[in-house]
Amino acid sequence: RLVAVRHLAAGEEVTVSYLPEGDLLSPVEKRQLLLRNWGFSCTCPRCEKHDDTRGFLCPVCGGSTVFLGVGGVSTCSACGAVPAVEFLEHSE
């Protein structure tokens, strides 16, 4: 039996994670490595874009959150800065 925690529109895709809940909070690189056990890479929005569970306060303005993801660091929505990846890696 599958139970949704929100309303689903007719025809909306329903997906199931191969990873246990605790691993879903890991960085995208670790999640992709774990998924190799099943022979595929995840292409969900969270894995393809920034990971909204791994945000950092913008080191330039402190006014918004920037995210570290597969494509690098997101742009700060407050000041437009793109902080260096090295800065964020040392902030974790």
Side-chain angles (χ1 to χ4, degrees), residues 1-85:
R1 180 178 171 185
L2 185 64
V3 178
V5 294
R6 64 174 179 79
H7 174 76
L8 299 173
E12 183 176 348
E13 182 179 24
V14 176
T15 61
V16 177
S17 175
Y18 281 71
L19 299 177
E21 191 172 329
D23 287 335
L24 294 175
L25 296 176
S26 298
V28 67
E29 293 83 5
K30 180 178 179 185
R31 293 192 315 265
Q32 294 289 5
L33 182 63
L34 293 169
L35 288 171
R36 287 188 191 146
N37 292 327
W38 288 279
F40 67 90
S41 294
C42 183
T43 58
C44 77
R46 185 168 166 233
C47 288
E48 288 290 300
K49 297 179 182 174
H50 72 262
D51 184 346
D52 60 5
T53 65
R54 310 220 21 107
F56 297 85
L57 191 61
C58 176
V60 176
C61 72
S64 187
T65 306
V66 293
F67 300 93
L68 181 59
V70 174
V73 180
S74 68
T75 302
C76 174
S77 62
C79 72
V82 179
V85 172

